[in-house]
Amino acid sequence: RAACLGASHDGTMKTVLSQRFVEYPEDVTVEVKARFVTVTGPRGTLTREFKHLNIDMVHLAEERKIRVDLWFGNRKQLACIRTVCSHIDNMVTGVQFGYLYKMRFVYSHFPINVTVNGNEIEIRNFMGEKRVRKVNVPPGVEAVRSADVKDELCLSGNDIALVSLAAAQVQQMTNIRHKDLRKFLDGIYVTTKTNIVVPEL
């Protein structure tokens, strides 16, 4: 929801007040203090800081909503409101259902060998190379090899930013350079993005 527009001294149009609301369910508790958001749910607790943005955040506990206000914002600043609301929505979903990314190994000749040692993923025999590629898994993310599916790696956690970061680092570690990418398709790619606990419709 946005209020009327007015021109500023530099000629750009600014919105007087722009508001968005984020709702959260009964089994989730939210705390907002000085743009520091803490979300607690059945799967754990997530925190995120929004102090770098010049916005107002108000927790409406009785209505189970968070109100995000931006006063006199230009077009780029207005885009931040939706981003903040999306981050909080993802935190609420994470503490309720979690996030699960599934990755498959693609190879034409040399089988990719992947082992998980604690918080480290080791990739061997990629394109027949002797080099061992290592990826550190961020805290809060669990990496396991699938027991029932061949050549699959599963990354799971509550924070979508950390889970997707780990998946991106694994995929980028198998980037092929100085070859025709239409022909050399070897790598580890994300195939499925889902939740650990399937939400009931």
Side-chain angles (χ1 to χ4, degrees), residues 9-25:
H9 63 278
D10 58 354
T12 59
M13 297 296 285
K14 288 185 179 289
T15 306
V16 176
L17 172 61
S18 183
Q19 282 183 340
R20 284 190 81 89
F21 292 90
V22 181
E23 298 182 3
Y24 58 93

Side-chain angles (χ1 to χ4, degrees), residues 27-148:
D27 58 345
V28 174
T29 58
V30 175
E31 292 180 29
V32 179
K33 185 176 181 182
R35 288 175 287 180
F36 192 86
V37 180
T38 304
V39 180
T40 306
R43 293 186 52 83
T45 302
L46 290 175
T47 58
R48 188 142 189 163
E49 191 179 57
F50 298 102
K51 288 182 181 288
H52 62 288
L53 296 172
N54 191 18
I55 57 174
D56 292 335
M57 302 183 74
V58 180
H59 183 205
L60 308 172
E62 294 182 358
E63 301 176 31
R64 303 191 75 80
K65 289 181 180 179
I66 298 172
R67 192 182 77 211
V68 183
D69 298 340
L70 177 65
W71 292 86
F72 300 106
N74 59 27
R75 187 176 175 185
K76 284 190 176 181
Q77 291 166 336
L78 291 175
C80 296
I81 293 187
R82 177 100 185 222
T83 303
V84 169
C85 293
S86 297
H87 282 317
I88 298 173
D89 268 334
N90 289 337
M91 291 165 69
V92 171
T93 305
V95 297
Q96 277 187 292
F97 309 114
Y99 290 99
L100 174 65
Y101 279 35
K102 295 181 181 179
M103 308 186 75
R104 294 295 298 269
F105 314 155
V106 177
Y107 52 86
S108 58
H109 186 272
F110 296 102
I112 301 173
N113 182 14
V114 175
T115 55
V116 180
N117 297 322
N119 64 341
E120 193 174 66
I121 299 171
E122 294 182 352
I123 304 167
R124 290 184 169 84
N125 200 38
F126 176 70
M127 298 284 288
E129 295 178 7
K130 298 295 183 183
R131 175 190 161 204
V132 179
R133 293 165 164 80
K134 296 182 180 180
V135 179
N136 288 319
V137 180
V141 177
E142 183 185 11
V144 292
R145 284 290 304 268
S146 294
D148 53 342

